[in-house]
C-alpha cells in the first residue's frame, strides 16, 4: 500500500518534470536518469525518486538546525557554552529515527536487488559481449549453421555516409557504432559479459535498461534484461580501460520479433546487408507518417 502511494506520488513528480519526448540516449544538460526501457529500470527510477523523499527533508532539517545553532548560540549571544553531555530522550530519538529511516530504505532496496539478480529460468536469447581495447564483440548463441559474431566499433565521422548514419540526432557522435547489437522486444535476453583473455577490465553498461556489469578477463559475468519497447539505446564502457575508454560505446537496437528473425537469418551470411535492411524497415513507418501528414 505504502509503495503504491509513493508510486503515485512519484508519478506526479515525474509528470511535473517530464520533458515530453522519449529519451533513449543522454541529452544535453540532463541531470536525472535516462528514460526506462525495462521493468527493472522503471523500478530503479521509482527507487531514486523514493529515496529523494527522505534525502531532501533530512538535508533541509540539518541545514535548519545548523542555522539555528549558528545564530542562537553564537559567541556574542551565548558567551558561556552549555556543558550538557547526556540527554536520554535526544539519544533515543537520534538512534531510533535513523534506524526507522534505514529500514524504509532497505526494504525496497533489497527487493529491487533481488529482482535484478533473479535470473528468469529460460532466456529467449543469449548473447555474449566480449570487450577488448577498445571495441565490443557480440556473439549470438544458437544462431544457425554459421555462428553469428561481429565487432562493434564507434562510428567515425568519415564513415557516416557509407553507413547511412548521417543523422546525428539518431546516431550521436561518440555513441553511434558501426554494428549495433540487435535484439527482440519483450523477450528475456541473457547477456554474458567478459573481456578478452589478455585484456583489461571493462564494463558493459546500458542506462535505459538499468544494466551495468564488469567485463573481466578470464571470468564470465551474467546479467539479463527484457526491453519493453523498440528503439535504439546507447551506453558506454563504464570502467576506465585505457586511452580510448571514452570511444567504445555500446548500441543496442531493440526491434520486433519478426524484424529480429529476418535480421538474424540475413546477418549470418552478410551483416552489412542485414543491418541496411533492418535500418530501412525501422525507418519506414516514420517516413510514411510524414507523407500522410503532408497529404492532410
Ligand atoms: Cu572499456
Amino acid at each position: 500500500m505504502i509503495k503504491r502511494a509513493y508510486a503515485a506520488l512519484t508519478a506526479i513528480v515525474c509528470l511535473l518534470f517530464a520533458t515530453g519526448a522519449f529519451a533513449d540516449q543522454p541529452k544535453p544538460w540532463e541531470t536525472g536518469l535516462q528514460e526506462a526501457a525495462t521493468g527493472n529500470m522503471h523500478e530503479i527510477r521509482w527507487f531514486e525518486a523514493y529515496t529523494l523523499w527522505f534525502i531532501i527533508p533530512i538535508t533541509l532539517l540539518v541545514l535548519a538546525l545548523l542555522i539555528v545553532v549558528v545564530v542562537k548560540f553564537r559567541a556574542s549571544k551565548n558567551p558561556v557554552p552549555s556543558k550538557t553531555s547526556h540527554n536520554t530522550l535526544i539519544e533515543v530519538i537520534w538512534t531510533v529515527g535513523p534506524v526507522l529511516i534505514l529500514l524504509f530504505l532497505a526494504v525496497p532496496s533489497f527487493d529491487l536487488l533481488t529482482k535484478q539478480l533473479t535470473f528468469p529460468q529460460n532466456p529467449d536469447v543469449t548473447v555474449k559481449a566480449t570487450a577488448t581495447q577498445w571495441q565490443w564483440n557480440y556473439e549470438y548463441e544458437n544462431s544457425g549453421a554459421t555462428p553469428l559474431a561481429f565487432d562493434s566499433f564507434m562510428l567515425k565521422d568519415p564513415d557516416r555516409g557509407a553507413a547511412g548514419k548521417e543523422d546525428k540526432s539518431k546516431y550521436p557522435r561518440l555513441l553511434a557504432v558501426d554494428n549495433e547489437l540487435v535484439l527482440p522486444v519483450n523477450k528475456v535476453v541473457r547477456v554474458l559479459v567478459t573481456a578478452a583473455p589478455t585484456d583489461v577490465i571493462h564494463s558493459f553498461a546500458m542506462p535505459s535498461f538499468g544494466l551495468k556489469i564488469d567485463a573481466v578477463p578470464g571470468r564470465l559475468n551474467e546479467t539479463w534484461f527484457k526491453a519493453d519497447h523498440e528503439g535504439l539505446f546507447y551506453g558506454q564502457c563504464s570502467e576506465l580501460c585505457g586511452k580510448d575508454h571514452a570511444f567504445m560505446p555500446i548500441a543496442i537496437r531493440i526491434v520486433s520479433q519478426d524484424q529480429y528473425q529476418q535480421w538474424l537469418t540475413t546477418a549470418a551470411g552478410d551483416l552489412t546487408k542485414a543491418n541496411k535492411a533492418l535500418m530501412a524497415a525501422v525507418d519506414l513507418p516514420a517516413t510514411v507518417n510524414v507523407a500522410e501528414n503532408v497529404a492532410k
Side-chain angles (χ1 to χ4, degrees), residues 13-125:
V13 173
C14 287
L15 278 176
L16 285 174
F17 292 99
T19 46
F22 170 74
D24 45 15
Q25 66 191 51
K27 298 269 183 295
W29 297 102
E30 190 171 46
T31 52
L33 298 172
Q34 285 185 41
E35 288 292 328
T38 62
N40 280 342
M41 189 57 197
H42 280 288
E43 292 226 8
I44 291 172
R45 286 182 55 114
W46 174 85
F47 186 65
E48 191 227 8
Y50 171 79
T51 46
L52 283 176
W53 287 101
F54 293 88
I55 293 168
I56 293 171
I58 290 170
T59 310
L60 292 178
L61 175 71
V62 172
L63 180 70
L65 290 176
L66 273 175
I67 292 171
V68 168
V69 169
V70 167
V71 173
K72 201 172 164 193
F73 299 106
R74 63 185 191 273
S76 57
K77 183 95 182 294
N78 193 50
V80 186
S82 156
K83 295 230 171 76
T84 311
S85 67
H86 270 80
N87 186 314
T88 311
L89 180 67
I90 289 179
E91 282 181 28
V92 168
I93 290 173
W94 74 38
T95 307
V96 174
V99 166
L100 285 177
I101 292 169
L102 288 178
L103 270 177
F104 272 99
L105 292 176
V107 172
S109 171
F110 289 142
D111 184 45
L112 180 55
L113 265 179
T114 309
K115 277 182 187 150
Q116 286 180 293
L117 299 176
T118 306
F119 288 77
Q121 280 299 311
N122 297 307
D124 298 293
V125 183

Side-chain angles (χ1 to χ4, degrees), residues 48-275:
E48 191 227 8
Y50 171 79
T51 46
L52 283 176
W53 287 101
F54 293 88
I55 293 168
I56 293 171
I58 290 170
T59 310
L60 292 178
L61 175 71
V62 172
L63 180 70
L65 290 176
L66 273 175
I67 292 171
V68 168
V69 169
V70 167
V71 173
K72 201 172 164 193
F73 299 106
R74 63 185 191 273
S76 57
K77 183 95 182 294
N78 193 50
V80 186
S82 156
K83 295 230 171 76
T84 311
S85 67
H86 270 80
N87 186 314
T88 311
L89 180 67
I90 289 179
E91 282 181 28
V92 168
I93 290 173
W94 74 38
T95 307
V96 174
V99 166
L100 285 177
I101 292 169
L102 288 178
L103 270 177
F104 272 99
L105 292 176
V107 172
S109 171
F110 289 142
D111 184 45
L112 180 55
L113 265 179
T114 309
K115 277 182 187 150
Q116 286 180 293
L117 299 176
T118 306
F119 288 77
Q121 280 299 311
N122 297 307
D124 298 293
V125 183
T126 299
V127 286
K128 184 178 167 195
T130 308
T132 315
Q133 284 175 317
W134 287 275
Q135 80 271 1
W136 292 92
N137 178 277
Y138 301 120
E139 194 178 336
Y140 287 72
E141 187 193 50
N142 295 334
S143 49
T146 330
L148 176 57
F150 55 85
D151 285 328
S152 181
F153 284 90
M154 187 185 79
L155 185 70
K156 296 205 171 71
D157 274 344
D159 302 330
R160 282 182 180 274
K165 294 177 177 175
E166 288 97 340
D167 184 356
K168 286 195 181 173
S169 63
K170 202 166 178 188
Y171 301 102
R173 186 178 157 270
L174 305 182
L175 284 178
V177 299
D178 54 357
N179 302 314
E180 292 98 14
L181 176 61
V182 178
L183 289 163
V185 71
N186 289 325
K187 298 279 174 187
V188 174
V189 178
R190 178 169 61 159
V191 193
L192 304 174
V193 180
T194 188
T198 53
D199 215 85
V200 299
I201 301 178
H202 302 259
S203 178
F204 186 85
M206 185 53 64
S208 297
F209 295 179
L211 279 194
K212 183 177 278 181
I213 190 157
D214 275 0
V216 184
R219 183 176 164 153
L220 202 58
N221 278 338
E222 188 182 12
T223 185
W224 70 280
F225 69 85
K226 187 176 172 187
D228 58 19
H229 60 264
E230 296 171 27
L232 188 48
F233 302 90
Y234 292 106
Q236 289 175 303
C237 174
S238 298
E239 180 67 61
L240 193 54
C241 61
K243 81 172 172 62
D244 284 350
H245 162 63
F247 309 113
M248 53 180 294
I250 298 156
I252 302 183
R253 197 189 277 280
I254 299 294
V255 295
S256 70
Q257 179 64 26
D258 285 352
Q259 286 169 333
Y260 170 70
Q261 276 306 335
Q262 259 176 15
W263 175 86
L264 201 61
T265 317
T266 322
D270 188 341
L271 181 65
T272 314
K273 191 179 155 198
N275 282 343

